[in-house]
Amino acid sequence: MSQSRRNQGPMLNFTKMHGLGNDFMVVDAISQPFRLRPEMIRELADRNFGIGFDQLLVVEPPGLPDVDFRYRIFNSDGSEVEQCGNGARCFARFVRDQRLTNKKVIRVQTAKGVIELRVGRAGMVTVDMGVPELNPPAIPFAADRRKDVYTVELGGDTVELSAVSMGNPHGVLLVDDVDTAPVGEFGPRLESHPRFPARANIGFLQIIDRTRVRLRVFERGSGETMACGSGACAAVVAGCLRGLLDSRVDVELKGGRLVIEWQGEGAPVMMEGPTASVFEGQLRLPADQPPKRRKSTRHSDAKSGTNRQNNRHRQPATSRP
Ligand SMILES: N[C@H](CCC[C@H](N)C(=O)O)C(=O)O
C-alpha cells in the first residue's frame, strides 16, 4: 500500500446547513467515527481553505435518560460552547433527514442542560431555549449585584448593556439604528471584555416598537453572523427587562426573521424559525484520528415502535484503509 494511502484516515460524511444564514457543518457522530482537534475545526471553518461555517454541530448518543441525543457545538475558532439556537433548529431537521429519529418532539442534551425541539411544517422548528439566567455569577458577568442594565467601561468610552445567559453568555446594547451600530468596533472589544470572564456574544438591538426589533450580533468565537438564535432570545429578554417589549416579538436579523416569546422571569424563552439543508459532503480525516467505533443507535417513535434505517444519505463508515 502506498505511503500516502497509509497516511489517510477515515472518510467523514457531513451536511452543510443554515438557520437564516448562520451556517453549520453538521456531523452524525453516532454512525461514524469522529473526533476533531480545535486546530482542525479552525481549518475546516475557513471560508477560503476549508468548508466554511460559523459553527460545527455534532450529533452524539444521549448521555442522560429521557433524552434523544447529545448536541455538541464548536465555534469557528475551535471553542466548544453551551448553546446554539439556530443550530438547534437545524439539529432537529438533520436527525430526521438522516432517519436517526422520526419523532417530531426531540429532547436534546447540551453542555448546559436539556432543550426541546418541535418540528413543524416546511422546515420550521420551535425550540424551548430554557429559562434565561440573569444572576451575574451564572452568566458569567462580573457585577456586585444583579441589574437590568450595567455600565461597562470600554477604553475611553462607557456603554450600557444587559447581561443574559441562554446557556451561553450575551451582552445586549440598545442602538438607534443597527445599520450604523459600532458592531465592528465594540463587538470584539466587548466579546473579550474582562467583565465577561468566559467571553460573550454581543447583541446590538434596535427597538422598532413593542413587537418588532432589529438585531445584529457579534458572536463569541465566530464574529458577526447573519443571525444568532440565542442572541435573539437574549435581546428580547433584555428589552422586556427594560419594559420596552411585549411577550411576543418579531426579531429581524441580517439573514431573516425569528419569532421569540417570553412570558417573563422564571419562564422559558421560545424561539421559532426556519432551517435549510444546503448540501451533503465527504472529507477524509487525517490518519491520526483513530476511529472510536460507536454502536449505532437508532431512535424510534415511541408510538410506532418502528426503526427506520436510511442508507440513502450515508456511505457505510469506512474502516481504516
Ligand atoms: N457563538 C455562540 C455559539 C453559537 C450561537 C448562535 N449561532 C446561535 O444561533 O445561538 C457562543 O459562543 O456562545
Side-chain angles (χ1 to χ4, degrees):
M1 181 184 305
S2 70
Q3 179 64 26
S4 62
R5 289 271 310 153
R6 262 202 300 278
N7 290 340
Q8 289 184 334
M11 294 302 288
L12 179 73
N13 298 307
F14 68 88
T15 300
K16 188 75 186 343
M17 305 183 78
H18 73 83
L20 301 178
N22 179 200
D23 64 338
F24 311 109
M25 171 184 179
V26 192
V27 171
D28 162 8
I30 296 173
S31 318
Q32 57 184 347
F34 178 74
R35 199 177 66 212
L36 282 184
R37 295 186 309 279
E39 59 274 15
M40 180 78 183
I41 294 173
R42 285 191 288 273
E43 285 172 25
L44 292 173
D46 189 287
R47 296 192 183 283
N48 298 103
F49 299 100
I51 294 166
F53 53 77
D54 293 326
Q55 279 88 30
L56 165 66
L57 311 180
V58 183
V59 182
E60 293 193 347
L64 295 170
D66 189 29
V67 162
D68 297 298
F69 299 99
R70 185 175 173 211
Y71 166 34
R72 295 180 73 184
I73 306 146
F74 299 85
N75 285 319
S76 55
D77 69 355
S79 58
E80 182 165 8
V81 294
E82 315 88 341
Q83 180 65 281
C84 179
N86 288 325
R89 299 198 312 276
C90 289
F91 186 103
R93 176 167 178 166
F94 177 81
V95 293
R96 285 174 53 86
D97 287 353
Q98 299 294 321
R99 303 290 195 274
L100 292 172
T101 184
N102 50 18
K103 290 183 176 180
K104 289 209 163 186
V105 179
I106 303 164
R107 287 174 55 77
V108 175
Q109 170 193 352
T110 68
K112 270 283 183 73
V114 175
I115 56 176
E116 191 168 274
L117 319 176
R118 285 177 183 273
V119 178
R121 283 196 302 273
M124 296 297 281
V125 178
T126 299
V127 182
D128 176 340
M129 293 286 286
V131 177
E133 178 58 72
L134 302 169
N135 294 315
I139 293 173
F141 178 71
D144 52 14
R145 65 185 175 84
R146 185 202 136 177
K147 295 179 184 173
D148 293 341
V149 183
Y150 301 92
T151 301
V152 173
E153 300 300 319
L154 196 62
D157 304 296
T158 59
V159 295
E160 290 198 336
L161 58 78
S162 300
V164 179
S165 172
M166 293 306 305
N168 56 347
H170 292 264
V172 182
L173 294 73
L174 281 193
V175 295
D176 295 331
D177 183 346
V178 290
D179 296 329
T180 58
V183 177
E185 184 199 350
F186 283 9
R189 291 166 65 189
L190 287 169
E191 176 207 10
S192 53
H193 194 282
R195 292 192 66 179
F196 286 110
R199 299 191 294 165
N201 303 280
I202 306 302
F204 297 81
L205 173 63
Q206 176 186 349
I207 307 271
I208 307 296
D209 59 35
R210 295 190 63 83
T211 63
R212 285 185 311 143
V213 301
R214 297 176 70 207
L215 178 70
R216 288 172 66 183
V217 181
F218 188 93
E219 286 200 27
R220 175 180 63 170
S222 297
E224 183 174 7
T225 56
M226 292 291 287
C228 180
S230 56
C233 297
V236 169
V237 169
C240 290
L241 292 175
R242 294 171 184 237
L244 301 173
L245 295 178
D246 289 346
S247 58
R248 180 185 171 92
V249 179
D250 284 359
V251 180
E252 290 299 334
L253 299 120
K254 289 172 87 170
R257 182 170 68 100
L258 292 173
V259 178
I260 307 295
E261 281 195 63
W262 187 48
Q263 303 301 336
E265 298 218 28
V269 182
M270 305 302 291
M271 168 187 64
E272 182 186 51
T275 61
S277 191
V278 183
F279 67 85
E280 301 200 353
Q282 263 195 341
L283 63 91
R284 185 172 292 281
L285 293 175
D288 63 352
Q289 302 282 336
K292 281 194 314 183
R293 185 147 304 285
R294 294 179 191 277
K295 66 180 176 17
S296 167
T297 311
R298 287 280 179 272
H299 288 257
S300 64
D301 183 300
K303 290 188 293 303
S304 71
T306 56
N307 263 347
R308 279 194 280 168
Q309 186 131 3
N310 164 59
N311 296 314
R312 183 163 59 91
H313 292 296
R314 187 179 312 116
Q315 328 303 331
T318 46
S319 59
R320 290 167 65 95

